[in-house]
């Protein structure tokens, strides 16, 4: 049964709600007691993080010193969804976790430049840009989590046992599904070829079960399939019904074990996206919608009590550059990597700290001393290629400057967006390891998967004011 998710409205009510559940007495030390089931490796005492690890503070001492801060509220209107129109356009619940939004009021899977321009905004200065990040939740349901973990372990044990007993199998592209409306004059040749193809696959599977080397089996099978498929496609061509895929595409096979393919042959129902992840597709070629959030705004493994940030600071800086130029309208920018466990660490960045300890950033969830609060700091890429508002992987068109604020050759310094989010999470919850960021299931709430998204929909006039404030050294707030 899905647990109720509530949006926190204050630290006092929250403390009362969890006070009877978690019994922890800590001053924020790393050895403090934590609830059963919490992944201790994901948490760190902020006082143990070295000073000087916040590169953003170093950049702030360089170049133009002006800033431009936009007041877009704290999502008081409750704009949440699990969409991402930048990374997964048109896919409902494509983020597979819940986003917190400020700025543009219309943001969802179907957002585009036109819809963003037409929409209202929460920003006081009329900025219609979209700013959004995964929510943070508190989850104190240790028993339910332990039960789920035990069930997962049992399932994994059963799966591994079945895998050990299973024989390898040839995994080949389906041929008949590529044949639309087989004409009568080609029917006999097609059926004969399909029968031969099935027989060859069965023979290959017998050879694999007997321990024959997989590469040799697949090579022999490919040659046999290619011959049969050619006869089928030739008969279809003669009947005026050519097959869309060529013989080589249909002939190649892989080896699978216990129902899992050892190689993705690029079937029509899969696609490797810019981040390297395979995403399912509908028969019409569009990415398929993912399971939606439930009535309590819980998505996948993301369960618990949503924490509204106590403070949302949206500030544009020079990023260490001597001068910046305007961002183009509709520029898309990503921070961090929501799938860092799959894509690798290249785009993941340390994002976590505590108030009063802003001179240090960590890639782990911080445990803050009494009187200090959890903070997330997202400083976006700030070197634009001067041409594109987006790119295939949503990254190569805009990259980070170096530690001196300089851009790579051919790139221009644009204002760097820095989003700071502050949360009032009780110390006992921190010490118990009971708060986490929403994430894709495979991330298992890893704090390294923290990320942020931005689409610039400022008017040219507003962007011009922003650039002027930064380059002139002024500190502007709107």
């Amino acid at each position: 049964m899905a647990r109720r998710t509530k949006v926190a409205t204050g630290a006092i009510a929250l403390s009362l709600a969890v006070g009877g559940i978690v019994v922890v007495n800590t001053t924020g030390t790393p050895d403090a007691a934590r609830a059963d089931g919490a992944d201790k490796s994901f948490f760190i005492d902020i006082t143990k993080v070295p000073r000087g690890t916040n590169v953003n503070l170093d950049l702030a001492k360089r170049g133009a010193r002006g800033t431009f801060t936009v007041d877009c509220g704290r999502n008081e209107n409750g704009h949440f969804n699990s969409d991402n129109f930048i990374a997964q356009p048109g896919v409902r619940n494509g983020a597979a976790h819940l986003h917190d939004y400020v700025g543009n009021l219309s943001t969802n899977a179907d957002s585009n430049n036109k819809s963003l321009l037409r929409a209202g905004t929460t920003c006081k200065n009329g900025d219609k840009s979209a700013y959004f990040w995964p929510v943070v939740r508190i989850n104190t349901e240790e028993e339910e989590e332990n039960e789920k973990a035990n069930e997962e372990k049992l399932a994994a044990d059963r799966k591994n046992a079945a895998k050990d007993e299973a024989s390898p199998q040839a995994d080949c592209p389906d041929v008949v599904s590529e044949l639309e409306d087989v004409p009568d004059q080609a029917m006999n040749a097609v059926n004969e070829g399909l029968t031969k193809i099935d027989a060859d696959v069965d023979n290959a599977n017998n050879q694999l079960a007997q321990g024959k080397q997989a590469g040799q089996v697949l090579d022999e099978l490919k040659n046999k399939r290619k011959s049969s498929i050619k006869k089928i496609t030739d008969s279809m061509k003669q009947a005026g019904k050519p097959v869309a895929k060529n013989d080589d595409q249909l002939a190649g096979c892989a080896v699978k074990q216990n129902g899992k393919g050892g190689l993705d042959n690029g079937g029509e129902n899969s696609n490797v996206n810019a981040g390297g992840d395979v995403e399912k597709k509908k028969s019409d070629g569009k990415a398929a919608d993912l399971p939606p959030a439930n009535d309590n705004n819980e998505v996948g493994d993301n369960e618990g009590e949503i924490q509204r940030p106590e403070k949302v600071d949206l500030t544009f800086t020079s990023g260490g550059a001597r001068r910046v130029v305007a961002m183009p309208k509709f520029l898309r920018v990503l921070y961090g990597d929501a799938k860092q466990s799959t894509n690798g660490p290249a785009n993941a960045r340390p994002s976590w700290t505590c108030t009063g300890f802003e001179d240090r950033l960590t890639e782990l969830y911080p445990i803050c001393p009494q009187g200090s609060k959890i903070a997330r700091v997202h400083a976006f890429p700030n070197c634009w290629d001067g041409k594109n508002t987006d790119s295939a992987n949503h990254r190569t068109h805009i990259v980070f400057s170096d530690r001196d604020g300089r851009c790579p050759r051919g790139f221009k310094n644009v204002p760097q967006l820095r989003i700071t989010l502050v949360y009032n999470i009780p110390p006992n919850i921190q010490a118990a390891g009971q708060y986490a960021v929403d994430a894709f299931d495979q991330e298992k709430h890893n704090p390294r998967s923290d990320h942020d998204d931005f689409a610039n929909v400022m008017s040219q006039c507003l962007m011009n004011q922003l650039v002027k404030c930064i380059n002139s050294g002024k500190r502007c707030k709107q």
Side-chain angles (χ1 to χ4, degrees):
M1 180 181 298
R3 71 176 63 86
R4 295 289 299 172
T5 298
K6 303 174 183 177
V7 177
T9 56
I12 296 177
L14 181 58
S15 299
L16 290 174
V18 301
I21 300 175
V22 183
V23 182
V24 179
N25 183 15
T26 177
T27 58
T29 63
D31 298 325
R34 291 191 178 92
D36 292 339
D39 188 337
K40 296 181 180 180
S41 68
F42 282 172
F43 292 81
I44 188 171
D45 180 352
I46 194 62
T47 64
K48 305 301 182 183
V49 177
R51 295 179 177 178
T53 51
N54 187 346
V55 66
N56 306 305
L57 295 182
D58 292 336
L59 290 172
K61 299 174 183 177
R62 302 175 183 273
R65 303 294 182 86
T67 60
F68 188 90
T69 300
V70 184
D71 184 355
C72 297
R74 301 180 295 109
N75 192 18
E76 290 90 345
N77 59 319
H79 183 183
F80 300 109
N81 63 45
S82 50
D83 300 341
N84 190 322
F85 74 93
I86 297 177
Q88 291 274 50
V91 183
R92 295 289 179 186
N93 308 300
H97 51 262
L98 206 68
H99 280 139
D100 225 338
Y101 289 89
V102 297
N104 200 284
L105 287 166
S106 68
T107 322
N108 59 31
D110 299 320
S111 291
N112 54 43
N113 294 347
K114 185 179 292 187
S115 69
L116 293 170
L117 277 176
R118 288 199 305 258
T121 179
T122 66
C123 301
K124 291 184 177 179
N125 66 351
D127 175 14
K128 294 187 178 184
S129 299
Y131 306 84
F132 56 105
W133 51 84
V135 301
V136 168
R137 300 179 193 258
I138 285 177
N139 186 345
T140 57
E141 299 287 342
E142 299 91 356
E143 292 183 3
E144 184 174 329
E145 293 298 324
N146 289 340
E147 181 180 349
K148 182 177 181 179
N150 290 335
E151 290 175 354
E152 290 176 348
K153 185 177 185 305
L154 289 173
D157 290 343
R158 289 193 295 267
K159 187 175 182 180
N160 290 333
K163 181 177 181 179
D164 292 339
E165 296 173 1
S167 297
Q169 299 283 301
D171 185 19
C172 304
D174 189 42
V175 177
V176 69
S177 62
E178 300 296 327
L179 311 176
E180 297 182 4
D181 190 22
V182 178
D184 291 341
Q185 61 267 40
M187 189 64 70
N188 289 338
V190 168
N191 285 338
E192 183 179 27
L194 292 174
T195 300
K196 178 69 164 57
I197 287 171
D198 286 341
D200 289 338
V201 172
D202 288 340
N203 182 53
N205 286 334
N206 289 333
Q207 292 178 333
L208 290 170
Q210 293 168 10
K212 190 170 181 179
Q213 204 275 332
Q216 182 180 350
V217 172
L218 293 182
D219 286 341
E220 294 174 356
L221 178 58
K222 181 175 181 178
N223 290 332
K224 292 177 181 179
R225 283 172 58 86
K226 190 172 182 179
S227 176
S228 298
I229 290 168
K230 188 177 188 309
K231 292 178 181 178
I232 292 174
T233 56
D234 285 346
S235 66
M236 292 290 287
K237 288 178 184 177
Q238 292 173 7
K241 294 286 186 180
V243 180
K245 287 190 175 180
N246 62 43
D247 297 353
D248 283 334
Q249 287 177 301
L250 293 171
C253 301
V255 171
K256 67 178 180 179
Q257 183 82 34
N258 192 33
K260 285 194 172 181
L263 175 68
D264 187 341
N265 288 311
E268 287 190 350
N269 290 328
S270 69
N271 175 58
V272 179
N273 65 23
D277 305 300
V278 176
E279 56 190 36
K280 294 299 180 183
K281 303 187 82 177
K282 300 176 184 176
S283 59
D284 62 4
K286 295 181 179 179
D289 292 345
L290 299 177
N294 63 22
D295 292 341
N296 303 317
N297 269 333
E298 294 171 328
V299 190
D301 286 339
N302 299 296
E303 300 175 324
E305 190 171 318
I306 296 172
Q307 302 302 293
R308 287 252 183 90
E310 184 178 80
K311 179 182 179 182
V312 174
D313 183 281
L314 312 177
T315 296
F316 293 85
T317 75
S318 71
R322 293 181 179 179
R323 292 185 64 81
V324 298
V325 299
M327 290 180 177
K329 184 176 282 190
F330 305 124
L331 178 70
R332 267 71 163 159
V333 195
L334 303 184
Y335 167 87
D337 194 338
K339 295 183 178 179
Q340 59 84 37
S341 67
T342 302
N343 298 336
N347 295 312
R349 300 180 73 84
S351 304
W352 301 88
T353 188
C354 299
T355 58
F357 294 84
E358 288 86 355
D359 60 336
R360 59 198 82 186
L361 285 178
T362 174
E363 59 183 10
L364 302 176
Y365 294 121
I367 301 173
C368 304
Q370 290 285 351
S372 178
K373 298 179 180 180
I374 302 294
R376 298 158 74 186
V377 181
H378 302 154
F380 284 67
N382 58 321
C383 293
W384 173 50
D385 68 6
K387 300 176 182 178
N388 303 293
T389 57
D390 203 354
S391 49
N393 63 0
H394 315 297
R395 296 184 187 277
T396 53
H397 67 295
I398 185 162
V399 299
F400 283 98
S401 64
D402 64 18
R403 296 193 73 135
D404 292 319
R406 294 175 300 204
C407 290
R409 184 183 298 272
F411 284 74
K412 302 178 179 181
N413 284 101
V414 293
Q416 182 176 48
L417 170 61
R418 185 185 66 222
I419 296 180
T420 303
L421 309 169
V422 178
Y423 298 85
N424 192 10
I425 297 176
N428 57 341
I429 295 297
Q430 297 177 38
Q434 292 176 323
Y435 79 93
V437 68
D438 263 26
F440 285 95
D441 287 353
Q442 68 266 29
E443 296 299 327
K444 302 187 183 301
H445 304 292
N446 193 322
R448 298 178 184 90
S449 69
D450 195 15
H451 59 283
D452 213 322
D453 300 72
F454 167 67
N456 174 40
V457 197
M458 290 188 190
S459 67
Q460 292 188 72
C461 180
L462 186 56
M463 177 56 65
N464 186 51
Q465 293 177 38
L466 187 158
V467 169
K468 185 176 181 180
C469 284
I470 291 175
N471 288 338
S472 65
K474 295 181 180 179
R475 296 186 178 276
C476 306
K477 292 186 178 182
Q478 293 191 5

